[in-house]
Amino acid sequence: MGAGHSSLEGGPDFLTAADTKDALTNPFNELQVMEGHQDIVRKLCYIDGTRFASAGDDGCILIWDFVQGCHIGTLDGHTLPVRDMVITNGKTLFSASSDRTVRIWNLETFTCEKVLTGHTGAVTCLAQLGDSTIVSGANDRALFVWSADGEMQSRVERQEDEMLRDLLVLPRRIIVTCSANSRLILAYNVSSGRHHTLAADSHREDVYCLCNVNDRYFASGSMDGTVMSV
């Protein structure tokens, strides 16, 4: 596992004094290059003021110390790409994988505490539903709600295409989803199991991603090149 190194060290000879000064004062310049993954990195996740996690197609989750610019731990157990991660309480990491499992990791010992099974397709999305619950979505038309210790609390059947693109959580235990081959955005009430369609046919092509704006609104991005606030 390679440690990070400053992009200013051993830089090209053609850098001018002005370039160097700008690199030192512009906080948006590249500061660290951290190496360690063996394949595409697809997900980054904030842990705290000094640490973050990275994951991707090699199935490994690497924990990094940003201040020191080095790799400090590896969460190894998934057998296929890691698709999503969620941090709870700063000490626990939930990971979702194409191997159809969700894993719970201890960020102090870097060990897997539990493997959550039940999905029959690649688990693509995770979100924190409340202070102590996590929702997982997969390419199997199922949404599972898990307790903090990994016990399944409920299951919600999705109505749209199996290929789940994204999900987010709204107040009152509402889960919003978008799927492949669909312009629809659906909202599911975890408590009642009911669902309804939001902003039907607003996008001209498939909805690709979702993002919370605040407690009342969210944004959706589509393959048609538009972003809408819902």
Side-chain angles (χ1 to χ4, degrees):
M1 302 294 178
H5 61 272
S6 169
S7 62
L8 301 181
E9 296 175 359
D13 293 335
F14 57 78
L15 284 179
T16 66
D19 293 328
T20 304
K21 180 180 180 181
D22 180 66
L24 292 171
T25 58
N26 183 353
F28 299 105
N29 277 332
E30 173 190 299
L31 297 179
Q32 303 280 357
V33 176
M34 302 179 183
E35 299 174 339
H37 282 288
Q38 304 303 311
D39 210 328
I40 299 170
V41 178
R42 297 190 184 273
K43 190 71 179 181
L44 298 174
C45 191
Y46 168 88
I47 299 176
D48 53 36
T50 61
R51 298 180 300 161
F52 67 95
S54 62
D57 287 4
D58 58 8
C60 292
I61 302 168
L62 303 185
I63 310 301
W64 304 92
D65 184 313
F66 174 76
V67 175
Q68 299 298 323
C70 62
H71 162 242
I72 58 174
T74 299
L75 310 182
D76 192 7
H78 284 298
T79 58
L80 289 173
V82 177
R83 307 289 293 273
D84 205 359
M85 298 181 288
V86 167
I87 305 292
T88 63
N89 65 42
K91 299 179 181 179
T92 304
L93 184 148
F94 283 72
S95 60
S97 171
S98 294
D99 65 12
R100 303 182 181 182
T101 69
V102 174
R103 286 177 176 257
I104 303 177
W105 304 90
N106 185 315
L107 289 176
E108 295 182 340
T109 62
F110 303 132
T111 57
C112 179
E113 297 188 332
K114 196 166 187 178
V115 180
L116 313 184
T117 60
H119 282 294
T120 58
V123 189
T124 58
C125 301
L126 294 172
Q128 194 160 359
L129 187 59
D131 292 339
S132 59
T133 53
I134 295 291
V135 58
S136 62
N139 294 339
D140 58 5
R141 288 187 175 172
L143 299 171
F144 290 162
V145 178
W146 308 91
S147 66
D149 58 0
E151 296 299 318
M152 188 187 298
Q153 295 187 331
S154 61
R155 171 181 176 138
V156 177
E157 294 296 329
R158 292 194 295 113
Q159 303 301 308
E160 71 273 35
D161 190 283
E162 290 183 359
M163 301 294 288
L164 181 66
R165 282 260 171 79
D166 205 357
L167 68 79
L168 57 78
V169 172
L170 296 177
R172 298 186 296 277
R173 295 174 68 81
I174 302 296
I175 302 171
V176 179
T177 66
C178 65
S179 298
N181 306 314
S182 175
R183 295 176 295 169
L184 300 179
I185 302 171
L186 276 72
Y188 297 87
N189 187 309
V190 174
S191 300
S192 67
R194 297 178 179 176
H195 74 278
H196 63 277
T197 302
L198 305 176
D201 296 328
S202 295
H203 287 291
R204 298 185 302 276
E205 296 183 34
D206 297 0
V207 180
Y208 203 87
C209 54
L210 304 168
C211 176
N212 289 93
V213 177
N214 54 39
D215 288 343
R216 295 183 58 190
Y217 299 99
F218 67 91
S220 59
S222 168
M223 295 181 70
D224 63 15
T226 64
V227 175
M228 294 188 178
S229 177
V230 182

Coordinates of all heavy atoms in Angstrom, one line a residue, residues 41-79:
V41 N -11.6 3.3 -8.3 CA -12.2 3.8 -7.1 C -13.5 4.5 -7.4 O -13.6 5.4 -8.2 CB -11.2 4.8 -6.4 CG1 -11.9 5.3 -5.1 CG2 -9.9 4.1 -6.0
R42 N -14.6 4.0 -6.8 CA -15.9 4.5 -7.2 C -16.6 5.2 -6.0 O -17.6 5.9 -6.3 CB -16.8 3.3 -7.6 CG -16.3 2.6 -8.9 CD -17.3 1.7 -9.4 NE -16.8 1.0 -10.6 CZ -16.9 1.4 -11.8 NH1 -17.5 2.6 -12.1 NH2 -16.4 0.7 -12.8
K43 N -16.1 5.1 -4.8 CA -16.8 5.7 -3.7 C -15.9 6.3 -2.7 O -14.9 5.6 -2.3 CB -17.8 4.7 -3.0 CG -18.7 5.3 -2.0 CD -19.8 6.1 -2.7 CE -20.8 6.7 -1.7 NZ -21.9 7.4 -2.3
L44 N -16.1 7.5 -2.2 CA -15.4 8.1 -1.1 C -16.4 8.4 0.0 O -17.5 8.8 -0.2 CB -14.7 9.3 -1.5 CG -13.6 9.2 -2.6 CD1 -13.1 10.6 -3.0 CD2 -12.5 8.3 -2.1
C45 N -16.0 8.3 1.3 CA -16.9 8.5 2.4 C -16.2 9.2 3.5 O -15.1 8.8 4.0 CB -17.5 7.2 2.8 SG -18.8 7.3 4.0
Y46 N -16.7 10.3 4.0 CA -16.1 11.1 5.1 C -16.3 10.3 6.4 O -17.4 9.8 6.7 CB -16.8 12.5 5.2 CG -16.6 13.3 6.5 CD1 -15.5 14.1 6.5 CD2 -17.4 13.1 7.6 CE1 -15.3 14.9 7.7 CE2 -17.2 13.9 8.7 CZ -16.1 14.7 8.8 OH -15.9 15.5 9.9
I47 N -15.3 10.3 7.3 CA -15.4 9.7 8.6 C -15.4 10.7 9.7 O -16.3 10.8 10.5 CB -14.3 8.6 8.8 CG1 -14.4 7.5 7.8 CG2 -14.4 8.1 10.2 CD1 -13.2 6.5 7.9
D48 N -14.3 11.5 9.7 CA -14.2 12.6 10.7 C -13.2 13.6 10.1 O -12.9 13.6 8.9 CB -13.8 12.1 12.1 CG -12.5 11.2 12.0 OD1 -11.6 11.6 11.2 OD2 -12.4 10.3 12.8
G49 N -12.7 14.5 11.0 CA -11.9 15.6 10.5 C -10.6 15.2 9.9 O -9.9 16.0 9.3
T50 N -10.1 14.0 10.2 CA -8.8 13.6 9.7 C -8.9 12.3 8.8 O -7.9 12.0 8.1 CB -7.8 13.3 10.8 OG1 -8.3 12.2 11.7 CG2 -7.6 14.6 11.7
R51 N -10.0 11.6 8.8 CA -10.1 10.3 8.2 C -11.2 10.2 7.1 O -12.2 10.9 7.3 CB -10.3 9.1 9.2 CG -9.2 9.0 10.2 CD -9.5 7.8 11.1 NE -10.8 8.0 11.8 CZ -11.5 7.1 12.4 NH1 -11.1 5.8 12.4 NH2 -12.6 7.4 13.1
F52 N -11.0 9.5 6.1 CA -12.0 9.1 5.1 C -11.8 7.7 4.6 O -10.7 7.2 4.7 CB -12.1 10.2 4.0 CG -10.9 10.2 3.1 CD1 -10.9 9.5 1.9 CD2 -9.8 10.9 3.4 CE1 -9.8 9.5 1.0 CE2 -8.7 10.9 2.5 CZ -8.7 10.2 1.3
A53 N -12.8 7.2 3.9 CA -12.7 5.8 3.4 C -12.9 5.9 1.9 O -13.6 6.8 1.3 CB -13.8 4.9 4.0
S54 N -12.2 5.0 1.2 CA -12.4 4.8 -0.3 C -12.7 3.4 -0.6 O -12.3 2.4 0.1 CB -11.1 5.3 -1.0 OG -10.0 4.5 -0.6
A55 N -13.5 3.2 -1.7 CA -13.8 1.8 -2.1 C -14.1 1.7 -3.5 O -14.3 2.8 -4.2 CB -15.1 1.3 -1.3
G56 N -14.1 0.5 -4.1 CA -14.3 0.4 -5.5 C -14.3 -1.0 -6.0 O -14.7 -1.9 -5.3
D57 N -13.8 -1.2 -7.2 CA -14.0 -2.5 -7.9 C -13.1 -3.6 -7.4 O -13.3 -4.7 -7.8 CB -13.8 -2.3 -9.4 CG -14.9 -1.6 -10.1 OD1 -15.9 -1.2 -9.4 OD2 -14.9 -1.4 -11.3
D58 N -12.1 -3.3 -6.6 CA -11.2 -4.3 -6.1 C -11.8 -5.0 -4.8 O -11.3 -5.9 -4.3 CB -9.8 -3.8 -5.7 CG -9.8 -2.6 -4.7 OD1 -10.9 -2.3 -4.2 OD2 -8.7 -2.0 -4.5
G59 N -13.0 -4.5 -4.4 CA -13.7 -5.1 -3.3 C -13.2 -4.7 -1.9 O -13.7 -5.1 -0.9
C60 N -12.1 -3.9 -1.9 CA -11.5 -3.4 -0.6 C -11.9 -2.0 -0.2 O -12.2 -1.2 -1.1 CB -10.0 -3.5 -0.7 SG -9.3 -5.1 -0.8
I61 N -12.0 -1.8 1.1 CA -12.3 -0.5 1.6 C -11.0 0.0 2.3 O -10.5 -0.7 3.3 CB -13.5 -0.5 2.6 CG1 -14.7 -1.0 1.9 CG2 -13.7 0.9 3.2 CD1 -15.9 -1.3 2.8
L62 N -10.4 1.1 1.9 CA -9.2 1.6 2.5 C -9.5 2.8 3.4 O -10.3 3.7 3.0 CB -8.2 2.0 1.5 CG -7.8 0.9 0.5 CD1 -6.6 1.4 -0.4 CD2 -7.4 -0.4 1.2
I63 N -8.9 2.9 4.6 CA -9.1 4.0 5.5 C -7.9 4.8 5.4 O -6.7 4.3 5.5 CB -9.4 3.5 6.9 CG1 -10.5 2.5 6.9 CG2 -9.7 4.7 7.8 CD1 -11.8 2.9 6.4
W64 N -8.0 6.2 5.2 CA -6.9 7.1 5.0 C -6.9 8.1 6.1 O -7.9 8.6 6.6 CB -7.0 7.8 3.7 CG -7.1 6.8 2.5 CD1 -8.3 6.4 2.0 CD2 -6.0 6.3 1.8 NE1 -8.0 5.5 0.9 CE2 -6.6 5.5 0.8 CE3 -4.7 6.4 1.9 CZ2 -5.8 4.8 -0.2 CZ3 -3.9 5.7 0.9 CH2 -4.5 4.9 0.0
D65 N -5.7 8.5 6.5 CA -5.5 9.7 7.3 C -5.1 10.8 6.4 O -4.0 10.8 5.8 CB -4.3 9.4 8.4 CG -4.1 10.6 9.3 OD1 -4.1 11.7 8.9 OD2 -4.0 10.3 10.5
F66 N -6.0 11.8 6.3 CA -5.7 12.9 5.4 C -4.6 13.8 5.8 O -3.8 14.3 5.0 CB -7.0 13.8 5.2 CG -6.8 15.0 4.4 CD1 -6.7 14.9 3.0 CD2 -6.7 16.2 5.0 CE1 -6.5 16.0 2.2 CE2 -6.5 17.4 4.2 CZ -6.4 17.3 2.8
V67 N -4.5 14.0 7.1 CA -3.4 14.9 7.6 C -2.0 14.3 7.3 O -1.1 15.0 6.9 CB -3.6 15.2 9.1 CG1 -2.5 16.0 9.7 CG2 -4.9 15.9 9.4
Q68 N -1.9 13.0 7.6 CA -0.6 12.4 7.4 C -0.4 12.0 5.9 O 0.7 11.7 5.5 CB -0.5 11.2 8.3 CG -0.6 11.5 9.8 CD 0.6 12.4 10.2 OE1 1.7 12.3 9.8 NE2 0.3 13.3 11.2
G69 N -1.5 11.9 5.2 CA -1.5 11.5 3.8 C -1.1 10.0 3.6 O -0.3 9.6 2.7
C70 N -1.6 9.2 4.5 CA -1.2 7.8 4.5 C -2.4 6.8 4.7 O -3.4 7.2 5.3 CB -0.1 7.4 5.5 SG -0.6 7.7 7.2
H71 N -2.3 5.6 4.3 CA -3.3 4.5 4.5 C -3.1 4.0 5.9 O -2.0 3.6 6.3 CB -3.0 3.4 3.4 CG -3.6 2.1 3.7 ND1 -2.9 1.0 3.9 CD2 -4.9 1.8 3.9 CE1 -3.7 0.0 4.2 NE2 -4.9 0.4 4.1
I72 N -4.2 3.9 6.6 CA -4.0 3.4 8.0 C -4.8 2.1 8.3 O -4.7 1.6 9.4 CB -4.5 4.5 9.0 CG1 -6.0 4.9 8.7 CG2 -3.6 5.7 9.0 CD1 -6.5 5.9 9.8
G73 N -5.6 1.7 7.4 CA -6.3 0.4 7.6 C -7.1 -0.1 6.4 O -7.4 0.7 5.5
T74 N -7.3 -1.4 6.4 CA -8.0 -2.0 5.3 C -9.2 -2.8 5.8 O -9.0 -3.6 6.8 CB -7.1 -2.9 4.5 OG1 -6.0 -2.1 3.9 CG2 -7.8 -3.6 3.3
L75 N -10.4 -2.7 5.2 CA -11.5 -3.5 5.5 C -11.7 -4.4 4.3 O -12.2 -4.1 3.3 CB -12.8 -2.6 5.6 CG -12.6 -1.4 6.6 CD1 -13.9 -0.6 6.7 CD2 -12.1 -1.8 7.9
D76 N -11.3 -5.7 4.6 CA -11.2 -6.7 3.5 C -12.2 -7.8 3.8 O -12.1 -8.4 4.8 CB -9.8 -7.2 3.4 CG -9.6 -8.0 2.2 OD1 -10.5 -8.1 1.3 OD2 -8.5 -8.6 2.1
G77 N -13.1 -8.1 2.8 CA -14.1 -9.2 3.0 C -15.0 -9.3 1.9 O -15.5 -10.4 1.6
H78 N -15.4 -8.2 1.2 CA -16.3 -8.3 0.1 C -15.5 -9.0 -1.1 O -14.3 -8.9 -1.3 CB -16.7 -6.9 -0.4 CG -17.7 -6.3 0.5 ND1 -19.0 -6.8 0.6 CD2 -17.7 -5.2 1.2 CE1 -19.7 -6.1 1.4 NE2 -18.9 -5.0 1.8
T79 N -16.3 -9.8 -1.8 CA -15.7 -10.6 -2.9 C -16.0 -10.0 -4.3 O -15.4 -10.5 -5.3 CB -16.3 -12.0 -2.9 OG1 -17.7 -12.0 -3.1 CG2 -15.9 -12.7 -1.6

